[in-house]
Amino acid sequence: TNKKYIEYESILNIIKKNWLIFKIQRVEDIWNWIKYDYLNSMAGHKWYNQESTNMNKFLNDHSSLVVGNVILRQSRILNETCPIYTPSTYGKCFKDYGVLTEDKENYGYNWNSFDSTYTPLFNMEKVYRSFQYKKSSSLDSYPYAGIYGTYMGGGFVYEIDLSTVWSTGSLNTIQTDLDNLQKLNWIDKHTRAL
């Protein structure tokens, strides 16, 4: 319906407000966009004159209500390579994303082997869980047909808990988690969609 289109366009305009998303070329650029532009568009509640709005639970457009948590979900390919040959050297390539190449494993920090007996520090639990695969049924999500392929509904998820922002007025906890995810290479050469 027309109302759904208007809401979609409103959220899309919030996300691409500074157009930095279209200038992303490196992993560092993705992190900068997430930590500064995207996060502020979800939780930065200021009027045009930079005064606080007191409009908790709304996006930065002051009309779209947030229901539940905002998530960052990535789709990844398995850690498999395919050999390639060039006249002067042998190299490696990475397979395209698809149903047969989607990574559905659980991992520890930095994509290392998963240890089910490991207990992360209290303030690192969400970061640690972000390295474990979530099925689409647990996320209540569906496949998404994008420009470069169709991405399944599951993936590796970091939940952005905006209620902490609303209760404290600060993005510090989320920023710290995102900094840790960046240091632990949560987005890397196997990431195919975010």
Side-chain angles (χ1 to χ4, degrees), residues 175-190:
Q175 289 282 11
T176 300
D177 281 356
L178 292 172
D179 287 340
N180 285 323
L181 285 169
Q182 183 176 9
K183 288 174 192 169
L184 294 166
N185 299 306
W186 191 66
I187 299 172
D188 67 4
K189 61 188 173 190
H190 300 286

Side-chain angles (χ1 to χ4, degrees), residues 5-133:
Y5 176 76
I6 292 170
E7 183 66 19
Y8 169 80
E9 283 296 311
S10 176
I11 292 171
L12 191 60
N13 285 333
I14 292 169
I15 291 172
K16 62 184 187 180
K17 180 180 168 185
N18 293 329
W19 297 96
L20 291 178
I21 191 170
F22 298 108
K23 296 179 182 177
I24 292 173
Q25 295 183 2
R26 302 169 300 145
V27 172
E28 183 181 331
D29 298 334
I30 295 169
W31 283 114
N32 286 333
W33 178 78
I34 291 169
K35 291 192 285 187
Y36 304 109
D37 294 331
Y38 179 73
L39 191 55
N40 285 327
S41 70
M42 296 294 123
H45 293 84
K46 299 213 184 275
W47 291 113
Y48 63 91
N49 61 1
Q50 300 306 309
E51 289 186 22
S52 181
T53 64
N54 269 341
M55 293 185 69
N56 292 342
K57 300 185 182 177
F58 284 88
L59 295 180
N60 223 8
D61 67 353
H62 306 130
S63 64
S64 301
L65 180 66
V66 176
V67 179
N69 284 335
V70 176
I71 65 169
L72 292 177
R73 176 174 50 120
Q74 72 163 287
S75 298
R76 298 176 56 79
I77 58 169
L78 293 166
N79 189 13
E80 297 175 352
T81 58
C82 48
I84 58 172
Y85 172 74
T86 60
S88 62
T89 179
Y90 285 95
K92 293 187 177 185
C93 67
F94 295 95
K95 296 180 179 181
D96 290 333
Y97 177 87
V99 175
L100 299 177
T101 58
E102 179 187 19
D103 192 347
K104 297 180 183 178
E105 298 296 318
N106 290 327
Y107 294 94
Y109 294 125
N110 208 20
W111 305 108
N112 290 316
S113 297
F114 179 69
D115 178 357
S116 61
T117 63
Y118 176 75
T119 304
L121 296 173
F122 174 73
N123 62 342
M124 290 290 285
E125 289 174 340
K126 281 176 55 177
V127 171
Y128 188 71
R129 284 194 311 264
S130 300
F131 289 91
Q132 278 99 62
Y133 183 82

